[in-house]
Amino acid sequence: MGSPVLYLFGSAAPPVHDVAAVVEDAQRRGFTVCLGLTPTAYRWLGDRLPDLQEVTGYPVRSEYKLPGQRDVWPKADVIAFAPATFNSINAWALGLTHNFVVGVVAEAVGKGIPMVAMPCVNAAYVQHSQFERSVAVLRGMGVEVLYGDGGFVPNQPGRGRPREYPWPVVLDAVERRFTGR
């Protein structure tokens, strides 16, 4: 049996620019990594996509495959969605599967795949009443949402600190969810 498969998903928030280092850290921790991005995050990383594909050994995906096409990724053992934007968190909680990564995580709930999510939103977004409801819905479905103490704490608008995004917390949670410890 090979190494466990981690689907690492990211949306268009500044920490997504550091995803190559996260992939390498996950690989050092023993995971095979398949990288999926929202369409905007995919565009943001456009010039780095060939390198990311080479590092993971799999195509970086942002779109659904066509009917009848074989899946180019192995089945996931665990999924991490980070950074997850305001839009992605809300769409996931509401079951709005307008893009590939949100569709996969929405379906993964029903498949019982262990999942971790860490938002990346500013303090103005979290004032919207839907955000807290969405976090509660995801937690109620068994998703470990790393938000608040011990996870992501929002900054004021325009004062983001992407280099301080707590990526190791995500991978630590992935290991816990996968091993059941």
Side-chain angles (χ1 to χ4, degrees), residues 98-110:
H98 60 284
N99 70 48
F100 169 70
V101 296
V102 174
V104 171
V105 293
E107 184 178 32
V109 169

Side-chain angles (χ1 to χ4, degrees), residues 100-140:
F100 169 70
V101 296
V102 174
V104 171
V105 293
E107 184 178 32
V109 169
K111 291 180 172 181
I113 298 170
M115 286 186 283
V116 173
M118 188 157 61
C120 185
V121 295
N122 69 40
Y125 276 125
V126 301
Q127 298 306 309
H128 192 289
S129 60
Q130 185 58 49
F131 185 75
E132 290 292 338
R133 284 194 299 268
S134 293
V135 168
V137 164
L138 293 174
R139 285 177 172 158

